[in-house]
Amino acid sequence: FCFRYSGFYQFSVPTLMLKDPELIKQITVKDFDHFTDHRAAIDPELEPLFARNLFTLKGPKWRQMRSTLSGSFTSSKMKNIDEKPLNLKIGDVVWIPIFGFHRDPKHFENPTNFDPERFSDENKRNIKPHTYVPFGAGPRNCIGSRFALLEMKSLFYNLLLNFEIEPTKTTTVPIKLSAKSFNPAPEGGIWLGLKRLTST
């Protein structure tokens, strides 16, 4: 039996961690009107510039900026939950463990293997909704996700057109995650060599 959610403390802040894709969909899409804001990490009085970016804006200010940047934004509608509801209060923190979802063998076979084919046109329809959410979910997802994907495809196209990527003496295989980094980052960084392709 697997619980759909659990709780923990981020320092002194009680936080609800979602473990079920359907619950993520419920909160980030269907009940979005009750979960519009990200947790405040920046004091707008101390960092007025950063506090005005799309990620940290709240309430009406966020809605106004989002609608300015994306004409497709529309408010979600309320839906009923068919189970005993969990009562949350205004200000309660809800957290989606994206790193855990992406590395869960229940959702992705051999999740730590580098397998670009799992996202191919033939296979991506097999990905369960709301289990692969690198850019977030619902109306508050990253507005730049399409641009970021296009940018990476363009970069790799030009890179692979001219170079072969190969390991060097300092490349760590397999990659080990650093225990000192807050965000997932490889220990010692990523070291790769570029070998220029010769035209035939």
Side-chain angles (χ1 to χ4, degrees):
F1 179 76
C2 181
F3 292 102
R4 302 178 70 208
Y5 53 84
S6 63
F8 69 99
Y9 277 87
Q10 293 186 64
F11 299 104
S12 63
V13 179
T15 303
L16 182 72
M17 181 169 65
L18 306 181
K19 298 180 177 181
D20 178 52
E22 286 302 314
L23 199 52
I24 291 173
K25 179 181 179 182
Q26 184 74 40
I27 286 177
T28 61
V29 180
K30 295 180 180 178
D31 289 340
F32 173 74
D33 289 336
H34 296 284
F35 298 93
T36 57
D37 296 333
H38 287 156
R39 181 178 171 200
I42 302 294
D43 185 342
E45 297 295 322
L46 299 175
E47 289 285 348
L49 185 62
F50 187 77
R52 290 191 184 111
N53 77 43
L54 191 61
F55 185 82
T56 54
L57 285 175
K58 294 180 177 292
K61 289 183 179 179
W62 173 80
R63 289 179 186 273
Q64 182 181 10
M65 182 60 73
R66 176 73 188 222
S67 62
T68 300
L69 297 174
S70 172
S72 62
F73 172 70
T74 56
S75 179
S76 62
K77 295 182 179 178
M78 290 294 295
K79 301 287 181 185
N80 292 324
I81 303 177
D82 297 328
E83 62 178 272
K84 185 179 178 181
L86 172 68
N87 296 318
L88 297 172
K89 302 183 301 297
I90 292 174
D92 284 350
V93 176
V94 178
W95 185 59
I96 301 170
I98 295 171
F99 186 85
F101 267 99
H102 293 177
R103 282 154 185 80
D104 191 334
K106 289 188 303 185
H107 305 306
F108 300 98
E109 187 178 350
N110 301 316
T112 57
N113 287 1
F114 177 68
D115 181 13
E117 289 304 310
R118 77 172 86 229
F119 302 104
S120 68
D121 290 336
E122 297 79 22
N123 292 328
K124 65 183 178 183
R125 67 174 176 266
N126 298 324
I127 297 174
K128 187 176 180 181
H130 295 88
T131 58
Y132 184 69
V133 285
F135 294 102
R140 190 94 203 209
N141 71 335
C142 176
I143 197 169
S145 60
R146 290 183 182 173
F147 176 72
L149 291 171
L150 183 64
E151 193 175 39
M152 290 306 295
K153 287 177 183 178
S154 175
L155 179 127
F156 274 105
Y157 170 79
N158 285 286
L159 190 65
L160 296 174
L161 186 66
N162 298 294
F163 297 95
E164 181 180 341
I165 302 173
E166 55 186 17
T168 67
K169 292 178 182 178
T170 52
T171 304
T172 305
V173 179
I175 288 178
K176 295 177 183 175
L177 291 180
S178 172
K180 298 177 183 178
S181 174
F182 180 74
N183 292 318
E187 206 172 79
I190 298 176
W191 295 87
L192 296 170
L194 298 176
K195 182 180 178 182
R196 184 172 288 279
L197 297 174
T198 56
S199 55
T200 55

